[in-house]
Amino acid sequence: MMQQEKAQILALQALAWLAADEDRIGPFLAQSGIGLADLQARAGEADVLAAVLEFILGDDDRVLAWADEVDLRPEAAAMALSDARAALPGGAVPDWT
């Protein structure tokens, strides 16, 4: 499986985790500006998946909760989320040198 495909699968799993709890999905919808109907229609699109990963990575408590959900050490969960984000379009870290 290609790296981008793995990243998309992980991001879809993360989206399902967010969507399973109103206290998690509500802040994501508010922060991203996407409506629930649009989220449902566009859930597989790379930019939406990237937003999901960035949302989780943007808060330590969310990363810790995700780590618990997937039964990984927090560091490993954060690395998996970061690697997945980097593998999606627009996720490459710029080289400023």
Side-chain angles (χ1 to χ4, degrees):
M1 190 179 311
M2 295 173 10
Q3 184 65 19
Q4 186 172 343
E5 289 178 23
K6 289 181 183 180
Q8 289 172 327
I9 290 168
L10 188 141
L12 285 168
Q13 292 168 339
L15 175 56
W17 173 75
L18 284 178
D21 186 316
E22 189 174 308
D23 291 335
R24 289 190 298 250
I25 195 66
F28 171 73
L29 295 173
Q31 182 175 317
S32 67
I34 192 170
L36 190 54
D38 284 337
L39 178 62
Q40 290 170 333
R42 299 181 54 212
E45 294 179 15
D47 59 334
V48 172
L49 296 176
V52 167
L53 297 175
E54 289 173 6
F55 177 75
I56 295 172
L57 285 165
D59 182 79
D60 288 343
D61 289 336
R62 286 191 291 263
V63 173
L64 292 173
W66 170 251
D68 187 53
E69 174 71 17
V70 296
D71 197 28
L72 286 174
R73 290 184 343 272
E75 300 83 10
M79 182 65 72
L81 292 166
S82 294
D83 288 349
R85 177 59 192 105
L88 293 174
V93 177
D95 181 7
W96 299 105
T97 59

